[in-house]
Amino acid sequence: MSNRAAIAAAAPAAEAERVEKMGRNNTSSIFCLLFLVNFLNLISTKVNAGGVFQVDYKFAGTERSLSALREHDSIRHLQIIAGVDLPIGGTGRPDAVGLYYAKIGIGTPSKDYYVQVDTGSDIMWVNCINCQQCPTRGYRGLELTQYNPKDSLTGQLITCEWEFCKEIMRDSSSGCTSNETCLYTEVYGDGSFSMGYFVEDFVQYDRVSGDLQTQSANGSVIFGCGAGPSADLSSSDDALDGVLGFGKANSSLISQLASAGRVKNMFAHCLDGVNGGGIFAIGHVVQPKVNMTALVPNQSHYNVNMTAIEVGHAMLSLPTEVFTVGDTKGAIIDSGTTLAYFPEIVYQQLVVKILSSQPDLKLQIVHDDYTCFDYSDSVDDGFPPVTFHFGNSLNLTVYPHDYLFPFDGLMCVGWQNSGVLSGEKTNITLLGDLVLSNKLVLYDLENQTIGWTTYNCSSSIKLKDEITGSVHLVGAHSIPSCAFSQSAQKAFIFLLLMTLLQAIFTGL
Ligand SMILES: *[C@@H]1O[C@H](CO)[C@@H](O)[C@H](O)[C@H]1NC(C)=O
Ligand SMILES: *[C@@H]1O[C@H](CO)[C@@H](O)[C@H](O)[C@H]1NC(C)=O
Ligand SMILES: *[C@@H]1O[C@H](CO)[C@@H](O)[C@H](O)[C@H]1NC(C)=O
Ligand SMILES: CC(=O)N[C@H]1CO[C@H](CO)[C@@H](O)[C@@H]1O
């Protein structure tokens, strides 16, 4: 059994060691980047001076008062809207830096910021003026901006006496009192983090006003102002201005806008794994029609009940309790993660079954965890599709061109074993962009359901205006990153110089 032996050889490397190894090797950035975006805030923890606590559990019992405080605000300028069209860019392809980001405006006057869209975390933060080592150019040459609350007419610091801060700090022993600034530390599962303080300011977004038409609108939102280097998130060429958490907690941007009556607490994304970018919209999606399944209650992330896995036309024979043991119930849907992770027993069966369709492959293990092989034919002809089954007969099919990616002249398997990760959150099932790309994924937080359907993410969807009943088209975007990245600029200048020198010398 060459398959099994090779897979077993993907020795469980300690996570820390792996991160370190990858961190040092900047030139072969792909695996570094892969890792960087993996597990973004899966294990989200908030720390402040005196205490450490899980933000997710923290919010579980206190939702009511947080939303009440936002409602209090909203009476003054209640303006329920049809929807929000959030322009996105980036791609989920692991071979091309798996990362999706959105452009949003913050402050008065408004400036643009590029933030990673992440359904696995609960706050929005951007790098702020005091950030010492934040880059000015990021992912594909995007121009990065540091937010300065003092430059914005509407920016203000959140102090410990704000309800928002009291809620966040409730379980902490930090003794954050009265006029002190409300601090946060957001630690992501991959070891990267953002530290800073909370501020409130106007966030500008594109309100859907007609078919493929938007108007600028705004709402006041509390978000993190990152004052320190954010470790991995700022040190490599996939840097962005921050993260836009689309998590369930009432601290997320969508929850804040929803409880202020500005948006419906529903959103959808269609991440285009082919052309990059895609559709990201807040509001009531009526087209395409999507089959929904209930979110597992009392979980801090978007968890759904997975019931079976089918490879080609064969069901894997998995123990029935495999997705329900432990603290984390069901499979987590997380756009902030690039790949897909399974408990060891699931991973082994899945990969063995897939590779059994090509018994002659010579497997290689690359960077400890990636099973790769030489293959030059069409992968969709040579390998089976994988279908995940969920409650309420909801399915999700992932094709070979989605779960296999080219690297260094080889094809590599994107499925990962969560059992090899050290730390407490092992044996989880986590479905990232590898699985979610090229699907319209709809999150209905009012009914606590989620669903998806295979969709062309370069096309458009329809949102319904709850007040007027009218329906509008929302189209795809692919925010152009800088046409000339820094290295391309350097190469261009170098070529220009060489041409000039050549002209001078031949002229002499
Ligand atoms: C927010 O929107 C209101 C109403 O459209 C507008 O009057 C105001 O200037 C906007 N504020 C900012 C900070 O853009
Ligand atoms: C949410 O649930 C309510 C009550 O069950 C139902 O009437 C409504 O259609 C649901 N909304 C969506 C978008 O499915
Ligand atoms: C997806 O939609 C776009 C825009 O409508 C269209 O140009 C493209 O051909 C479609 N792709 C497929 C595979 O249908
Ligand atoms: C997960 C969460 O925090 N949701 C709550 C936010 O507040 C509303 C009330 O407006 C609750 O219904 C949600 O359960």
Side-chain angles (χ1 to χ4, degrees):
M1 278 291 295
S2 64
N3 290 349
R4 198 171 272 287
I7 293 160
E15 185 185 13
E17 188 191 328
R18 200 159 59 144
V19 174
E20 197 189 3
K21 215 183 298 168
M22 289 169 180
R24 274 202 220 112
N25 191 353
N26 277 337
T27 46
S28 84
S29 55
I30 166 172
F31 285 103
C32 171
L33 296 174
L34 273 179
F35 203 83
L36 208 74
V37 287
N38 289 343
F39 288 92
L40 189 59
N41 204 35
L42 180 64
I43 310 155
S44 164
T45 313
K46 264 190 196 170
V47 188
N48 74 55
V52 176
F53 55 89
Q54 287 288 132
V55 64
D56 308 300
Y57 300 124
K58 165 74 197 70
F59 272 92
T62 59
E63 298 129 12
R64 212 148 273 142
S65 47
L66 251 191
S67 43
L69 103 98
R70 302 300 312 176
E71 270 153 23
H72 172 76
D73 239 18
S74 66
I75 297 148
R76 267 176 297 152
H77 37 222
L78 189 70
Q79 174 202 25
I80 298 191
I81 62 169
V84 175
D85 178 3
L86 194 65
I88 60 168
T91 168
R93 294 298 304 171
D95 45 312
V97 184
L99 178 63
Y100 286 98
Y101 58 92
K103 189 172 90 171
I104 50 161
I106 304 177
T108 313
S110 173
K111 289 183 184 165
D112 286 342
Y113 297 84
Y114 299 96
V115 284
Q116 181 173 6
V117 286
D118 178 23
T119 60
S121 63
D122 293 320
I123 65 164
M124 172 174 114
W125 61 265
V126 292
N127 281 323
C128 273
I129 195 69
N130 301 330
C131 179
Q132 301 293 314
Q133 290 155 37
C134 292
T136 54
R137 289 259 170 203
Y139 178 69
R140 297 197 181 163
L142 286 175
E143 199 169 326
L144 301 183
T145 308
Q146 291 176 6
Y147 171 77
N148 183 354
K150 294 200 180 103
D151 273 359
S152 170
L153 291 174
T154 43
Q156 64 172 320
L157 297 185
I158 299 298
T159 54
C160 296
E161 66 221 2
W162 284 61
E163 278 307 314
F164 182 94
C165 190
K166 284 183 190 160
E167 296 289 349
I168 296 252
M169 296 296 174
R170 211 171 61 149
D171 293 345
S172 129
S173 54
S174 74
C176 171
T177 49
S178 59
N179 284 334
E180 291 169 29
T181 47
C182 185
L183 302 176
Y184 78 92
T185 301
E186 187 86 337
V187 179
Y188 298 97
D190 62 0
S192 62
F193 60 91
S194 169
M195 292 170 94
Y197 47 93
F198 281 111
V199 294
E200 184 181 52
D201 205 341
F202 279 92
V203 169
Q204 323 286 325
Y205 47 81
D206 296 331
R207 180 171 80 87
V208 176
S209 57
D211 282 352
L212 307 177
Q213 281 177 357
T214 59
Q215 277 174 1
S216 179
N218 64 58
S220 122
V221 169
I222 296 173
F223 57 93
C225 183
S230 52
D232 285 355
L233 281 174
S234 68
S235 60
S236 99
D237 58 11
D238 71 338
L240 291 170
D241 288 313
V243 171
L244 176 48
F246 265 89
K248 291 165 79 177
N250 281 341
S251 58
S252 69
L253 171 112
I254 181 166
S255 297
Q256 291 189 43
L257 291 176
S259 55
R262 308 220 140 204
V263 298
K264 201 166 165 64
N265 212 345
M266 288 174 84
F267 68 97
H269 56 65
C270 195
L271 307 174
D272 193 329
V274 184
N275 303 315
I279 306 168
F280 204 115
I282 301 175
H284 187 176
V285 177
V286 290
Q287 173 71 43
K289 288 268 176 274
V290 176
N291 190 6
M292 306 291 283
T293 190
L295 289 170
V296 181
N298 305 318
Q299 297 289 306
S300 39
H301 299 284
Y302 296 114
N303 298 37
V304 286
N305 281 319
M306 194 188 276
T307 52
I309 300 178
E310 190 178 354
V311 177
H313 295 293
M315 292 288 181
L316 297 185
S317 53
L318 299 168
T320 47
E321 72 287 357
V322 68
F323 299 118
T324 54
V325 290
D327 288 344
T328 306
K329 308 277 185 248
I332 301 169
I333 306 297
D334 180 9
S335 74
T337 290
T338 307
L339 302 174
Y341 296 77
F342 299 92
E344 179 145 12
I345 178 169
V346 179
Y347 167 81
Q348 297 282 1
Q349 277 204 44
L350 179 61
V351 173
V352 166
K353 189 81 190 167
I354 286 168
L355 297 178
S356 68
S357 53
Q358 298 287 340
D360 299 331
L361 292 177
K362 286 205 176 54
L363 302 181
Q364 300 179 31
I365 302 302
V366 178
H367 286 255
D368 292 344
D369 296 296
Y370 299 89
T371 302
C372 305
F373 47 82
D374 225 341
Y375 196 83
S376 47
D377 297 339
S378 153
V379 290
D380 285 324
D381 294 339
F383 295 88
V386 175
T387 301
F388 299 101
H389 294 262
F390 302 91
N392 198 29
S393 312
L394 184 64
N395 292 343
L396 197 159
T397 299
V398 184
Y399 297 94
H401 66 261
D402 292 320
Y403 68 73
L404 295 174
F405 65 93
F407 176 71
D408 244 3
L410 301 170
M411 287 309 285
C412 298
V413 179
W415 308 124
Q416 297 293 300
N417 178 358
S418 61
V420 303
L421 297 163
S422 60
E424 38 188 316
K425 296 274 176 118
T426 57
N427 286 314
I428 52 167
T429 302
L430 174 64
L431 306 178
D433 298 337
L434 179 87
V435 171
L436 304 176
S437 291
N438 308 320
K439 314 276 188 305
L440 188 279
V441 183
L442 178 59
Y443 302 72
D444 180 350
L445 301 186
E446 299 190 355
N447 283 1
Q448 290 290 307
T449 55
I450 189 169
W452 43 70
T453 187
T454 297
Y455 203 63
N456 177 352
C457 297
S458 302
S459 64
S460 52
I461 61 171
K462 286 182 183 164
L463 287 193
K464 183 174 169 191
D465 184 320
E466 294 298 311
I467 300 296
T468 65
S470 55
V471 169
H472 296 304
L473 284 176
V474 175
H477 299 272
S478 186
I479 313 174
S481 43
C482 199
F484 266 155
S485 72
Q486 255 181 334
S487 50
Q489 278 174 17
K490 278 184 199 146
F492 178 69
I493 291 168
F494 178 70
L495 270 177
L496 201 71
L497 269 174
M498 292 308 285
T499 317
L500 263 174
L501 282 174
Q502 202 183 12
I504 291 167
F505 280 109
T506 46
L508 278 175

